[in-house]
Amino acid sequence: MSTYVLVAAVFLASCVEMVEALTIVLAAGTSRSWRSALEGSAAGIAVLTLLVVGIGPSLVKYVPIGSLRFIIGALLLIFGLQWLRKAILRSAGLKAMHNEDQIFEDEVKRLRSIPKSTSGRDSTAFAVAFKGVFLEGLEVVIVVLTLGLTNHKLLLASVSALAAVILVGIVGAIVSKQLSKVPENAMKMGVGLMLVSFGSFWSGEGMGVHWPASDASILLLLLAYSVATALMIRLLSWQYKGRLTSRGAV
């Protein structure tokens, strides 16, 4: 069962990050040069792939599994809590929802203000696309390495991430103007819950904790964190509405 959770976590995390990267690539291609934007995207994906292939086996070979699990668990907790915090605040109405359409329009406007090169290739489009794919994909690489290495399923995690990249690329090419329809906040909340659950499990194992239900404890942690998150959203929403009501009364 933990394998299914791992695949879902990697796939959803990759989808979220690739939607954000796709927004940048589409903006670079639309406003500058599609050829240069696609070349920059390909270069970014190539560098990320080399990171997974180069770093993954070295970590397994030279770092003790106990230390690796503790470090990876801590990293997952950090990433998961960051994603979860933003998703909770957005669901409670305390933070604006992520609007990919607005981001796309702002990026297009910014890029069009930069003078184009007279040569065949557009270095600005290449650099923007490369940076977008690389930086957004870097979080995916960290998730793939952490989840894949600790569970001894690096290939499976890599395939899940690649499937997400392909899916988002195909969907984005078809419905590039509908990026805001993607339920990104719900996906981020789901990924955050999964990462926090995996992080708690593996950091605990790294410290010598023996979980009573073995790998099934990940599902119990996921359930516990989900309930806590739902209660937190309700509490924050109630406090937020209470403040709005009191301001209106004044």
Side-chain angles (χ1 to χ4, degrees):
M1 184 64 71
S2 63
T3 300
Y4 295 119
V5 179
L6 179 148
V7 171
V10 173
F11 184 81
L12 290 176
S14 302
C15 282
V16 170
E17 296 299 336
M18 286 304 101
V19 166
E20 296 182 7
L22 178 64
T23 303
I24 298 172
V25 173
L26 287 174
T30 301
S31 61
R32 307 288 301 187
S33 165
W34 277 110
R35 177 181 177 181
S36 297
L38 292 176
E39 288 176 350
S41 303
I45 293 174
V47 173
L48 292 170
T49 302
L50 289 175
L51 283 176
V52 174
V53 175
I55 296 176
S58 299
L59 287 175
V60 174
K61 184 176 180 180
Y62 296 110
V63 181
I65 187 62
S67 301
L68 188 62
R69 284 180 174 171
F70 176 75
I71 295 171
I72 285 174
L75 285 173
L76 288 178
L77 279 172
I78 292 171
F79 274 100
L81 288 172
Q82 286 178 341
W83 286 37
L84 200 54
R85 174 182 170 276
K86 292 179 182 178
I88 289 173
L89 291 176
R90 284 172 177 148
S91 296
L94 298 175
K95 186 178 177 67
M97 288 290 183
H98 204 71
N99 190 334
E100 293 294 344
D101 282 348
Q102 186 61 51
I103 294 172
F104 174 80
E105 292 175 5
D106 292 342
E107 187 69 9
V108 167
K109 187 182 298 183
R110 184 183 72 84
L111 290 173
R112 281 179 175 165
S113 66
I114 302 174
K116 290 187 178 182
S117 172
T118 55
S119 62
R121 282 183 169 79
D122 192 311
S123 58
T124 299
F126 181 94
V128 168
F130 176 84
K131 184 179 71 173
V133 171
F134 180 77
L135 292 180
E136 299 297 343
L138 196 57
E139 287 195 40
V140 175
V141 169
I142 293 174
V143 171
V144 168
L145 288 174
T146 51
L147 292 179
L149 290 176
T150 308
N151 221 27
H152 303 292
K153 291 183 173 66
L154 180 59
L155 179 59
L156 181 61
S158 301
V159 171
S160 299
L162 180 61
V165 171
I166 294 173
L167 177 63
V168 171
I170 293 174
V171 173
I174 298 173
V175 291
S176 59
K177 295 296 185 181
Q178 302 298 321
L179 293 175
S180 61
K181 303 298 183 182
V182 177
E184 185 178 347
N185 197 58
M187 292 172 67
K188 280 191 172 179
M189 185 175 295
V191 173
L193 287 168
M194 292 178 189
L195 295 184
V196 169
S197 300
F198 273 109
S200 300
F201 180 80
W202 279 325
S203 58
E205 279 202 335
M207 292 185 292
V209 174
H210 297 286
W211 298 96
S214 188
D215 286 356
S217 298
I218 297 174
L219 297 178
L220 298 178
L221 287 168
L222 180 60
L223 176 62
Y225 283 126
S226 299
V227 172
T229 297
L231 292 174
M232 194 174 298
I233 291 173
R234 293 289 290 270
L235 177 62
L236 289 174
S237 298
W238 177 72
Q239 291 179 338
Y240 175 64
K241 290 177 181 177
R243 288 202 300 268
L244 288 179
T245 303
S246 62
R247 288 176 183 175
V250 174

